[in-house]
């Protein structure tokens, strides 16, 4: 497996400390692999192509259906030469979207325009909001039982758009709509490991809130293994994690955004989701989902337990330190505004 063994060990340590990590690994070895169709919407893009490769390597994927406006036949032909048993199919243009989605168990949506230098995630809203709504409508029509994973930014707004769109269709299930914030966790784990000289595979830093700027709140006080930072170091590390996407955009000088790391993070989230769908216990990830964790905030990123129907349980925040408590309160107005923007767009554009 690409990512599962490391995650299972970390999840067991973080959430089932009384149980030996090898229990989950033994269970994974004996787990019967269900046939799973994964639809990747935006498969010819900067995130889509490397993500398609990683999904082609996943033992839980039986069929990988690639969709984009153009370019998918070439991506599928290229991937078909990789000697893994995953069947790859290609679909192009709006007229083939229904066939791509039919029978999918998991739908992953990285489609949309990428961020460019000087742009915020909010600048992407006007274009990407409509793209996400149209793709979610198609998923609600063709595979209403599938788990939807939204990568397209701004996630703080596109996930509410997806939820409201499916509500209008009468097929909304909050357990099955997931905003992928895994890149924030991947970055946090990497940066904390580097700062403290730890083995990266052992580090797990929960990240809560949202997926844009100050709404990204790494819980350094809850890191596994335990680490210690001064308040000044916490502020610097939090800012580094929050601005990591901008660093990549600027480094690529107008030629892309964080595509490779996002593909890696999305593949990790997809693998965890598929493990949950197949009945593997103790699969935890942070994700932006419908939530009651914070009062008056209808969507929020926190640890979730993944299961046979998607999100089995939304976890609480745990004990925050004074720095994290203040940062949480400070970011809530921005998060609420971005959520409401998505809800308003969906309601105004509901057929």
């Amino acid at each position: 497996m690409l990512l599962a063994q490391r995650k299972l060990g970390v999840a067991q340590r973080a959430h089932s400390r009384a149980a030996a990590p090898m229990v989950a690994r033994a269970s994974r070895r004996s787990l019967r692999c269900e046939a799973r169709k994964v639809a990747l919407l935006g498969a010819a893009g900067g995130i889509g192509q490397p993500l398609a490769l990683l999904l082609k390597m996943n033992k839980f994927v039986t069929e990988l259906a690639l969709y984009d406006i153009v370019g998918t036949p070439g991506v599928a032909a290229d991937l078909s030469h990789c000697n893994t048993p995953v069947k790859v199919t290609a679909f192009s243009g709006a007229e083939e979207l229904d066939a791509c989605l039919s029978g999918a168990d998991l739908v992953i949506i990285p489609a949309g325009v990428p961020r460019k230098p000087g742009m915020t995630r909010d600048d992407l809203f006007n274009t990407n909001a409509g793209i996400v709504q149209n793709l979610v409508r198609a998923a609600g029509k063709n595979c209403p039982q599938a788990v939807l994973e939204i990568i397209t930014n701004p996630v703080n707004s596109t996930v509410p758009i997806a939820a409201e769109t499916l509500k209008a269709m009468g097929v909304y299930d909050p357990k099955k709509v997931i905003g992928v914030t895994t890149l924030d966790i991947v970055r946090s784990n990497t940066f904390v490991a580097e700062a403290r000289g730890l083995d990266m595979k052992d580090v797990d830093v929960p990240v809560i809130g949202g997926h844009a700027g100050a709404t990204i709140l790494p819980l350094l006080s809850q890191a596994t293994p335990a680490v210690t930072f001064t308040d000044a170091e916490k502020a610097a590390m939090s800012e580094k994690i929050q601005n990591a996407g901008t660093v990549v955009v600027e480094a690529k000088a107008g030629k892309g955004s964080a595509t490779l790391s996002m593909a890696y993070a999305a593949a990790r989230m997809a693998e965890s989701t598929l493990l949950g769908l197949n009945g593997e216990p103790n699969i935890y990830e942070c994700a932006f989902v419908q939530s009651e964790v914070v009062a008056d905030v209808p969507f929020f990123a926190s640890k979730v337990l993944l299961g046979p129907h998607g999100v089995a349980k939304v976890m609480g925040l745990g004990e925050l330190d004074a720095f994290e408590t203040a940062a949480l309160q400070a970011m809530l107005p921005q998060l609420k505004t971005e959520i409401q923007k998505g809800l308003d767009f969906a309601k105004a554009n509901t057929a």
Side-chain angles (χ1 to χ4, degrees):
M1 294 293 291
L2 180 63
L3 306 163
Q5 189 165 357
R6 182 185 65 80
K7 281 306 298 172
L8 286 168
V10 170
Q12 285 284 57
R13 287 193 294 274
H15 299 280
S16 300
R17 296 184 185 274
M22 284 305 294
V23 172
R25 292 188 180 126
S27 174
R28 183 175 66 83
R29 285 196 298 270
S30 62
L31 188 66
R32 182 170 65 90
C33 295
E34 299 286 345
R36 299 292 182 191
K37 177 178 176 179
V38 176
L40 179 59
L41 310 185
I47 296 170
Q49 290 199 44
L51 178 53
L53 174 61
L54 294 172
L55 292 170
K56 180 74 164 72
M57 298 165 64
N58 190 301
K59 66 178 288 187
F60 291 116
V61 180
T62 305
E63 179 182 352
L64 178 60
L66 307 179
Y67 173 82
D68 216 317
I69 301 302
V70 295
T72 47
V75 177
D78 198 357
L79 286 177
S80 71
H81 297 169
C82 300
N83 61 326
T84 75
V86 180
K87 177 185 177 183
V88 180
T89 53
F91 302 87
S92 298
E95 66 279 3
E96 296 186 0
L97 179 56
D98 289 352
C100 173
L101 290 165
S102 179
D105 299 287
L106 173 62
V107 178
I108 306 173
I109 307 180
V113 298
R115 195 152 58 112
K116 297 179 180 178
M119 293 178 66
T120 66
R121 286 180 173 85
D122 195 54
D123 292 330
L124 305 176
F125 181 85
N126 290 334
T127 299
N128 286 351
I131 291 172
V132 168
Q133 186 171 53
N134 288 336
L135 295 175
V136 169
R137 278 185 182 139
K141 171 186 172 184
N142 293 284
C143 53
Q145 300 303 313
V147 174
L148 303 188
E149 294 188 343
I150 312 295
I151 297 171
T152 308
N153 278 316
V155 166
N156 293 355
S157 300
T158 54
V159 170
I161 288 171
E164 203 65 28
T165 299
L166 293 172
K167 282 182 185 177
M169 299 176 70
V171 294
Y172 177 56
D173 183 346
K175 299 187 298 295
K176 296 181 181 293
V177 177
I178 298 173
V180 178
T181 62
T182 318
L183 182 52
D184 299 326
I185 292 82
V186 166
R187 287 168 168 161
S188 298
N189 294 350
T190 299
F191 298 160
V192 168
E194 290 174 344
R196 289 296 180 262
L198 301 171
D199 191 330
M200 288 189 190
K201 74 177 187 300
D202 294 330
V203 178
D204 181 35
V205 181
V207 182
I208 65 168
H211 187 56
T215 70
I216 301 168
L217 178 54
L219 299 184
L220 300 174
S221 69
Q222 297 181 25
T224 304
V227 291
T228 302
F229 292 95
T230 66
D231 281 353
E233 289 172 332
K234 289 175 187 175
M237 180 61 73
S238 297
E239 184 177 352
K240 181 177 182 179
I241 293 163
Q242 291 164 353
N243 294 332
T246 300
V247 170
V248 175
V249 170
E250 292 175 349
K252 290 189 175 181
K255 296 182 179 179
S257 57
T259 54
L260 300 176
S261 55
M262 183 65 249
Y264 170 83
R268 165 177 149 170
M269 185 66 198
E271 182 172 85
S272 293
T273 302
L274 292 167
L275 282 164
L277 291 176
N278 279 359
E280 181 70 24
N282 301 315
I283 303 297
Y284 292 88
E285 290 284 358
C286 290
F288 188 70
V289 298
Q290 181 176 311
S291 174
E292 297 179 353
V293 166
V294 177
D296 300 320
V297 184
F299 296 88
F300 197 82
S302 64
K303 284 273 188 182
V304 301
L305 172 64
L306 297 166
H309 305 289
V311 176
K313 184 178 181 180
V314 179
M315 312 303 292
L317 301 184
E319 184 176 350
L320 307 186
D321 65 19
F323 177 88
E324 293 158 354
T325 299
L328 173 61
Q329 293 305 312
M331 62 102 134
L332 288 180
Q334 176 185 340
L335 181 57
K336 290 179 180 179
T337 297
E338 292 172 354
I339 291 170
Q340 191 61 48
K341 187 172 185 177
L343 294 173
D344 291 343
F345 175 89
K347 290 174 182 176
N349 292 277
T350 298

